[in-house]
Amino acid sequence: LKPDRNFWDEDARELAPEPTVEVHVFTLKRTHPWVRRRVEQLGRHPSAIVIHRLLRSSACTPKDAVRVAARRPVTDALVRELTSHRPTIAMTGVRIALAANPFTPSRVALLLTPACRPQLRTLTRSNVLPEVRALAAQLSGGSFSDAVLHG
């Protein structure tokens, strides 16, 4: 005996929406101009609580997280928020932005510098803390005097 319909497939379709619809809605939420403007406004907010909520929002893109990490001046509360959120600190761009930011506390910047291996040359030539520049030069194989001359 062969059933006319597959009972389990129909139940699954009723319970879960089409995956393509979910993807389109998610993409629209992230790319809608009003949402983008609001996310950019919230990324400049001084409160660490607002940044906490923004980083955990589905509307926040990796580019937004890098923009938050690169803003100046960066407060200790903001650095704590960025470094405590695993998906955010796992992004190479965020680690580089924090290490290259002269307002990042030196102990945090020094801890992040080895994790920026592909872009160490950038850190030796950018306007970063002298300790970070020296460590980046040492890790990239250059000398500190090269980093000072180019920085």
Side-chain angles (χ1 to χ4, degrees):
L1 293 168
K2 193 174 184 182
D4 327 272
R5 61 189 180 95
N6 189 336
F7 179 77
W8 298 109
D9 286 345
E10 285 184 16
D11 277 353
R13 270 188 241 123
E14 288 174 12
L15 294 175
E18 291 280 328
T20 55
V21 172
E22 285 178 352
V23 169
H24 290 307
V25 169
F26 181 71
T27 304
L28 282 175
K29 281 183 182 177
R30 292 179 85 170
T31 59
H32 190 278
W34 181 85
V35 173
R36 297 300 331 135
R37 281 193 304 271
R38 190 68 182 138
V39 167
E40 287 172 12
Q41 289 172 350
L42 292 173
R44 293 188 299 266
H45 200 279
S47 171
I49 294 169
V50 172
I51 299 301
H52 171 88
R53 291 183 180 157
L54 176 67
L55 293 174
R56 285 152 180 81
S57 163
S58 63
C60 185
T61 63
K63 197 178 209 179
D64 297 324
V66 170
R67 202 175 292 125
V68 169
R71 78 183 209 189
R72 295 169 186 188
V74 66
T75 62
D76 285 343
L78 186 63
V79 170
R80 198 174 316 111
E81 195 54 53
L82 285 163
T83 55
S84 67
H85 189 235
R86 283 185 184 208
T88 302
I89 200 62
M91 297 177 204
T92 306
V94 171
R95 290 192 307 255
I96 292 167
L98 279 174
N101 192 333
F103 291 96
T104 302
S106 59
R107 68 188 189 309
V108 174
L110 288 170
L111 287 171
L112 291 173
T113 301
C116 302
R117 284 233 181 247
Q119 286 81 11
L120 284 173
R121 283 285 182 204
T122 305
L123 290 176
T124 60
R125 292 187 173 94
S126 63
N127 184 23
V128 297
L129 297 168
E131 308 92 50
V132 173
R133 191 178 310 130
L135 180 60
Q138 181 183 8
L139 291 172
S140 67
S143 66
F144 179 67
S145 60
D146 290 342
V148 172
L149 289 174
H150 295 296

